[in-house]
Amino acid sequence: MKKILSVLVLFSVISGFSIAAFATQDITNINGSQNADVFGTYQAGTSDVIYSVDISWSALSFTYNAADRVWDPTTHSYIENGGGWANSDGQITVINHSNASITAKPTWIADQGFESAIMTFDCAENGLCLQSAAESNSEVSGIIKVIPTGYLTEAANGGRIGQITVTIIGQTASNDDQIIDTEPVYVMNEDELETALTTGKNIILGDNITVNKSLTINSDVSVDLNQYTLTLFNEMSVSEGNLNISNGTIDGILSCNGGSISLNYDIVFYDQNNDDIRIGLAVNNGYATCNFDPGSYVLLGSVTDNENGTWTVTPN
């Protein structure tokens, strides 16, 4: 009785497991064999892009020497001799520790009263490009020279005359381990701007642009006005995604009908052409965020001071 019970228990335990069924084939000859197909599936992994970029600055203090004025009694006028910038070029060092290539894009904004001074850069128009540190298994560095041009007035007494901003434009990794390029697109006219907005690019204006048609944004887009003026005879409207806009003048209306708008402190709404076009920000749906008080620019919406250096505009 004991022996029978043991067999029954063993059977019940085995039957509790799921056993895959295999086709069987009897081998009736010595050295006979049997084949079985083996199946495999590759599951792609993810490869996140990790950004780490060092930026250092040096020699960004410049002296402008006014020309010597010598009176010429023959022509009854002054002759200017010499003058110009005395200092050597400034320098921006960029070191890429990231596993993706980057572009370091420098821009210059003069403070009020010092617009005659212009800082130029020796890198390509779209910035300094550095390859991924993963390609060389070491950091990758580059230098941007800062070259002063124009002139300074007597008001310059050693204090700040403007600000250089270096923006790091990178890449993102997709799930299939491919790199999607997010290099900026320079636009020069209405058609180029419209195309870039529909493809969700990082956009930089290369000139003043006047837009006669309505523009609708349905994805995340960054627009650097690059100190130019964007004139809108019809609204630029955000329906989905985020419009991040900075560094220039808007002559017209930005409208938020969904998604969001982010305005940087260096944005100005101004009727540049004195053509009585309404200018400002209208929030019908979604919201807008600003790192300045946008109250004087808001045509539609309610402004909230977040008391952390930012303001939010929401529908009324």
Side-chain angles (χ1 to χ4, degrees):
M1 233 1 231
K2 228 181 220 180
K3 200 178 284 185
I4 294 172
L5 181 60
S6 297
V7 171
L8 290 175
V9 170
L10 178 61
F11 176 77
S12 66
V13 171
I14 293 175
S15 65
F17 288 90
S18 175
I19 301 175
F22 295 95
T24 59
Q25 177 182 345
D26 291 337
I27 298 175
T28 57
N29 299 318
I30 298 299
N31 297 325
S33 63
Q34 181 177 350
N35 299 321
D37 294 333
V38 178
F39 302 90
T41 300
Y42 170 80
Q43 182 66 49
T46 59
S47 179
D48 293 334
V49 172
I50 305 298
Y51 287 107
S52 177
V53 181
D54 296 335
I55 300 176
S56 59
W57 319 74
S58 64
L60 295 183
S61 179
F62 302 96
T63 299
Y64 181 80
N65 293 321
D68 296 328
R69 303 180 73 201
V70 179
W71 178 254
D72 185 346
T74 304
T75 61
H76 305 102
S77 62
Y78 285 102
I79 299 173
E80 294 188 351
N81 294 323
W85 296 93
N87 304 67
S88 59
D89 300 336
Q91 184 171 293
I92 305 169
T93 301
V94 183
I95 302 175
N96 187 22
H97 302 281
S98 315
N99 62 337
S101 61
I102 63 162
T103 297
K105 169 67 176 175
T107 55
W108 159 254
I109 299 178
D111 287 348
Q112 186 174 2
F114 301 107
E115 292 85 355
S116 60
I118 302 171
M119 300 296 148
T120 61
F121 310 98
D122 72 341
C123 57
E125 185 180 21
N126 63 339
L128 172 68
C129 298
L130 297 177
Q131 70 176 15
S132 163
E135 296 180 25
S136 58
N137 293 320
S138 64
E139 65 184 35
V140 181
S141 64
I143 293 174
I144 302 172
K145 287 185 178 181
V146 182
I147 306 164
T149 61
Y151 63 92
L152 282 175
T153 64
E154 295 178 359
N157 58 3
R160 170 176 148 155
I161 61 171
Q163 185 178 69
I164 293 172
T165 300
V166 175
T167 302
I168 301 301
I169 303 167
Q171 299 175 331
T172 55
S174 66
N175 290 333
D176 58 0
D177 202 23
Q178 303 236 334
I179 298 296
I180 303 171
D181 194 2
T182 57
E183 290 293 320
V185 174
Y186 282 81
V187 296
M188 303 294 293
N189 54 52
E190 177 181 11
D191 291 338
E192 291 178 358
L193 175 61
E194 182 181 25
T195 299
L197 288 173
T198 58
T199 53
K201 298 289 187 181
N202 293 316
I203 303 164
I204 299 177
L205 266 63
D207 200 353
N208 296 320
I209 295 180
T210 297
V211 179
N212 294 292
K213 62 183 73 173
S214 295
L215 296 176
T216 301
I217 296 169
N218 295 302
S219 60
D220 291 344
V221 177
S222 174
V223 179
D224 178 357
L225 297 181
N226 201 20
Q227 302 185 51
Y228 290 109
T229 297
L230 178 62
T231 301
L232 304 168
F233 281 99
N234 285 287
E235 293 183 3
M236 177 184 282
S237 173
V238 179
S239 294
E240 297 180 51
N242 173 258
L243 168 63
N244 186 308
I245 191 162
S246 62
N247 191 20
T249 301
I250 300 172
D251 185 355
I253 296 177
L254 288 182
S255 176
C256 189
N257 296 312
S260 60
I261 296 175
S262 300
L263 295 176
N264 200 37
Y265 72 93
D266 50 15
I267 279 292
V268 175
F269 286 91
Y270 180 67
D271 187 2
Q272 185 103 354
N273 302 306
N274 295 315
D275 46 19
D276 296 326
I277 296 177
R278 291 184 70 206
I279 60 171
L281 176 66
V283 177
N284 301 294
N285 196 8
Y287 64 93
T289 57
C290 314
N291 56 10
F292 62 94
D293 185 350
S296 60
Y297 296 142
V298 174
L299 301 173
L300 180 64
S302 177
V303 180
T304 301
D305 183 351
N306 301 317
E307 299 185 353
N308 61 359
T310 65
W311 286 256
T312 303
V313 185
T314 52
N316 289 327

